Amino acid sequence: MESYEPERLTPVQLAAMRRSLTSGRGALTRRSLLRASGMGALAVGGMATLGACGIPPAKRADAGLASDDHSAKEKVLNFSNWTEYMDVSEDEKSRPTLEAFTERTGIRVKYTEDINDNVEFFGKIKPQLAAGQNTGRDLICVTDWLAARIIRLGWAQKLDASNLPHAFANVSAQFRTPDWDPGRAYSYPWTGIPTVIAYNVKATGGRKVDSVTQLLDDPKLKGRVSFLSEMRDSIGMTLLDQGKDPGKFTDADFDGAIGRLQKAVDKKQIRRFTGNDYTADLSKGDIAACVGWAGDVIQLQADNPDIRFAIPAAGYITSSDNLLVPAQARHKTNAEKLIDYYYEPPVAAQLAAYINYVCPVDGVREELAKIDESMASNTLILPDKEMAAKSRSFRSLSTEEETAYEEKFAKLIGA
């Protein structure tokens, strides 16, 4: 059995988690964008609990193996997801795509919106996973950093590719090979979450803002720029601007990004580091330009025609939410059939039209246009080839890196 050392959080990491849950992605509703983006935060609800008892969390040698699959005899599926992350009918009494799945397959889906943030949810399922027991869930949807840890600990079942022909063929290239699950052996993305540059064209005097360099150096923007208090987003975007790959960066690269941002702080180019509260200032024009989340931009544009976004030539950061089958799930094949179903373009289009996040399914544009042409042309929902090619993911971090990087970032932002 391979053992892991306890992943206790430092005070800085705890502070980072609190920032995310109170003002960052963790504080946002499903309609405004996503939640906490890492920080080793799962240790609060899960790994640290074991560590605090003096029992190092261990990777179970058999944990990722399928339990007896009862799918053939039990036409049911227990699916845990975030709120407002599934299409509903106009009268809000049904879930059209789920009902169509049941009509086609005979599999009844017990759909539960019981994920409010990654840390809290992991705290619910950790005891069963650690004990090698069924969590009562056949399919879960968690953010990439938590998906990576669940897979690493052997608490996710390896998927059967023969049950996933649409998923295997249609997953978009930008989501196909994350460093934590190359080839998508254990997971498939539900949605993508881009980090972009947002600006108020009235506040910029009609000028376009389309690079981190502009944000950090343009004297006309001095004191009216904000970055995010989520380390992966702000550092990742800065690394890209410096010609570094967020998926492969070194300690020296990270320090270089910190130094670049520190200079902008020192000369008061950056007004502040924010969670989702930047949206009000951006809409009013108090913030002229910022690093922000695409989901916010879509919503702000609906009320304010002056809000624009740009994808830097250097690239942008994308994170994702992902579907996994927990270890010892009772209905693995049923879960795989549901995953594959949502990778059929007509179904994926119906889901994307409702939730308005980046759709990870190729071939969906034509189907989405039948529902809403404006959505089909919105690159924040369906990135074109040029935009998709610029997407980059922040690499997985070791516990030691997480601690060191969060300490440096906290010092930068004054947290």
Side-chain angles (χ1 to χ4, degrees):
M1 180 182 293
E2 181 183 358
S3 294
Y4 284 79
E5 64 182 31
E7 298 190 20
R8 292 186 175 91
L9 293 186
T10 67
V12 169
Q13 287 176 308
L14 285 168
M17 185 200 73
R18 292 190 190 100
R19 285 199 309 274
S20 188
L21 294 178
T22 56
S23 63
R25 278 193 269 189
L28 303 176
T29 66
R30 185 40 54 197
R31 280 294 186 188
S32 36
L33 201 64
L34 289 197
R35 69 231 59 80
S37 67
M39 289 108 30
L42 95 88
V44 172
M47 308 309 290
T49 303
L50 289 173
C53 297
I55 306 172
K59 177 178 179 179
R60 293 177 54 86
D62 61 343
L65 301 179
S67 59
D68 292 338
D69 191 348
H70 298 265
S71 295
K73 294 182 179 180
E74 300 176 2
K75 295 295 184 179
V76 296
L77 169 64
N78 298 302
F79 182 7
S80 284
N81 206 348
W82 300 80
T83 59
E84 297 187 69
Y85 225 14
M86 179 66 71
D87 57 300
V88 298
S89 60
E90 290 187 8
D91 62 9
E92 299 186 352
K93 293 182 179 180
S94 65
R95 303 186 184 280
T97 57
L98 284 179
E99 291 190 357
F101 174 77
T102 298
E103 290 175 6
R104 180 198 297 185
T105 64
I107 299 170
R108 180 175 56 85
V109 181
K110 180 183 179 183
Y111 184 77
T112 308
E113 295 179 319
D114 61 345
I115 305 180
N116 294 307
D117 72 74
N118 289 291
V119 178
E120 179 186 51
F121 180 67
F122 188 77
K124 294 179 182 178
I125 63 175
K126 180 268 302 176
Q128 293 97 327
L129 291 173
Q133 299 171 352
N134 180 10
T135 66
R137 298 166 175 85
D138 302 302
L139 192 63
I140 61 175
C141 184
V142 294
T143 306
D144 44 20
W145 64 269
L146 179 53
R149 293 195 179 189
I150 290 174
I151 292 169
R152 188 186 76 196
L153 290 167
W155 291 348
Q157 294 193 42
K158 191 170 185 178
L159 302 174
D160 185 345
S162 67
N163 291 328
L164 297 159
H166 295 99
F168 182 80
N170 295 336
V171 63
S172 300
Q174 73 180 99
F175 296 104
R176 189 173 288 273
T177 56
D179 67 348
W180 46 270
D181 188 16
R184 292 292 181 179
Y186 293 89
S187 69
Y188 272 91
W190 184 248
T191 54
I193 312 107
T195 301
V196 299
I197 291 178
Y199 62 100
N200 185 319
V201 71
K202 185 176 181 180
T204 64
R207 293 182 305 120
K208 183 178 183 179
V209 180
D210 60 3
S211 72
V212 170
T213 292
Q214 254 183 296
L215 292 176
L216 297 179
D217 294 337
D218 187 343
K220 293 182 179 180
L221 297 177
K222 184 175 181 179
R224 298 189 297 149
V225 169
S226 68
F227 275 68
L228 293 168
S229 58
E230 300 280 2
M231 182 263 288
R232 286 165 174 77
D233 295 300
S234 289
I235 294 295
M237 293 291 281
T238 305
L239 285 167
L240 284 167
D241 190 68
Q242 294 179 306
K244 305 297 182 180
D245 185 349
K248 300 178 181 178
F249 68 89
T250 64
D251 287 348
D253 295 333
F254 184 90
D255 288 344
I258 287 285
R260 180 85 172 89
L261 290 168
Q262 186 65 59
K263 288 180 180 178
V265 170
D266 293 343
K267 67 180 182 181
K268 302 188 184 307
Q269 179 78 8
I270 296 176
R271 181 170 180 162
R272 62 193 182 106
F273 290 83
T274 75
N276 64 311
D277 50 325
Y278 70 89
T279 55
D281 286 343
L282 180 65
S283 188
K284 290 186 296 183
D286 293 340
I287 290 292
C290 63
V291 172
W293 292 306
D296 290 337
V297 175
I298 293 174
Q299 291 180 48
L300 289 174
Q301 286 179 326
D303 299 319
N304 187 339
D306 293 327
I307 302 301
R308 310 289 170 83
F309 78 94
I311 302 299
Y316 65 102
I317 293 293
T318 300
S319 55
S320 61
D321 269 348
N322 306 271
L323 300 171
L324 299 102
V325 178
Q328 306 303 322
R330 189 175 175 89
H331 309 105
K332 176 174 177 284
T333 299
N334 290 346
E336 291 166 339
K337 288 180 178 179
L338 186 70
I339 294 172
D340 197 61
Y341 169 73
Y342 279 101
Y343 272 80
E344 297 178 21
V347 180
Q350 193 169 347
L351 179 67
Y354 183 80
I355 65 176
N356 296 168
Y357 291 92
V358 170
C359 180
V361 181
D362 278 344
V364 79
R365 190 177 305 278
E366 183 177 333
E367 296 295 335
L368 188 55
K370 296 176 183 177
I371 301 171
D372 188 325
E373 290 187 3
S374 65
M375 288 187 181
S377 61
N378 189 332
T379 54
L380 294 182
I381 297 174
L382 291 182
D384 55 24
K385 289 184 178 179
E386 181 181 1
M387 181 173 169
K390 295 179 180 179
S391 172
R392 297 291 182 271
S393 297
F394 200 94
R395 70 171 173 83
S396 301
L397 301 179
S398 68
T399 302
E400 293 77 14
E401 287 176 324
E402 191 103 51
T403 299
Y405 294 168
E406 285 292 359
E407 286 178 350
K408 291 176 180 180
F409 188 69
K411 183 177 180 181
L412 167 73
I413 69 176

